[in-house]
Amino acid sequence: MSQSRHVPVMLQRCLDLLAPALTEPGAVVVDCTLGLGGHSEALLARFPEARLIALDRDKEALRLSGERLAPYGERATLVHAVYDELPDVLDRLGVPRVQGVLFDLGVSSMQLDEADRGFAYAQDAPLDMRMDQSTGMSAAEVLNTYRRANWSASCGRTARRSRPSGSCPRSSASARRSRSAPARGSWS
């Protein structure tokens, strides 16, 4: 994906909100959802005394954003991690406190725009849907291998967390459909 097509969401507002915390020398800011590095690049450019620690679970995003942030040298530390691992990451890096944290939550445009990532719905592509393609099962594997009991149990756990009744409407019908028409590895 071309980084020139990547437009960070609410960039100016994020910079303005983080500004009071990042103007002091030695300030540390964490981008918990690095993606293609648009927010991080702007933070490093606007706050020349700040250090960035950026996390992403997607190795390809880390590679691409690493190229983008290379001019900032040691001011940018990129880590392959999920944002709920932030306390462990900070411990490993010996960073006791930070002055700012940014979460740009949602699906990355890279996942939607790149067909081989398996999230694309506008084109025929493999059905993957993993943010980190190096771990876990692809969506096609789940659809082709889970039995009805797996679907019902999985849906039940999700429903109990989100619905007081613990019910999962249409779970049996969904499981039957997924078993009777295995995923070809792509949506058509």
Side-chain angles (χ1 to χ4, degrees):
M1 172 178 197
S2 168
Q3 292 176 7
S4 62
R5 291 190 306 171
H6 174 66
V7 180
V9 177
M10 297 176 54
L11 178 60
Q12 191 57 50
R13 182 72 173 141
C14 292
L15 294 173
D16 292 345
L17 289 171
L18 288 166
L22 301 180
T23 55
E24 297 298 317
V28 176
V29 61
V30 178
D31 184 344
C32 285
T33 51
L34 176 63
L36 291 174
H39 287 105
S40 289
E41 180 180 45
L43 286 164
L44 289 165
R46 178 153 170 198
F47 306 105
E49 299 294 321
R51 174 183 176 195
L52 169 78
I53 298 171
L55 284 57
D56 207 292
R57 69 187 321 166
D58 184 335
K59 290 180 181 179
E60 181 63 7
L62 285 166
R63 184 187 70 75
L64 293 169
S65 58
E67 292 172 5
R68 182 180 198 158
L69 301 176
Y72 297 98
E74 293 183 10
R75 289 182 51 215
T77 302
L78 310 186
V79 181
H80 181 234
V82 182
Y83 52 76
D84 64 358
E85 298 175 80
L86 179 59
D88 295 331
V89 169
L90 294 175
D91 284 345
R92 282 195 311 266
L93 296 174
V95 178
R97 59 188 295 237
V98 301
Q99 286 65 47
V101 179
L102 172 68
F103 288 85
D104 181 7
L105 301 175
V107 174
S108 168
S109 56
M110 186 171 76
Q111 273 79 32
L112 296 176
D113 295 342
E114 299 293 321
D116 64 339
R117 298 309 306 259
F119 286 84
Y121 51 85
Q123 52 198 317
D124 192 23
L127 181 61
D128 193 311
M129 301 186 84
R130 291 175 292 170
M131 299 298 273
D132 180 351
Q133 291 183 316
S134 68
T135 63
M137 296 174 70
S138 71
E141 291 172 298
V142 169
L143 289 172
N144 286 325
T145 61
Y146 271 30
R147 295 182 17 223
R148 181 177 175 186
N150 296 110
W151 284 109
S152 296
S154 177
C155 185
R157 281 191 302 275
T158 302
R160 278 190 294 282
R161 279 184 254 139
S162 61
R163 297 175 58 142
S165 68
S167 66
C168 191
R170 298 179 298 280
S171 64
S172 295
S174 297
R176 277 193 302 277
R177 277 195 304 277
S178 69
R179 288 192 64 211
S180 63
R184 298 183 325 264
S186 64
W187 290 105
S188 38

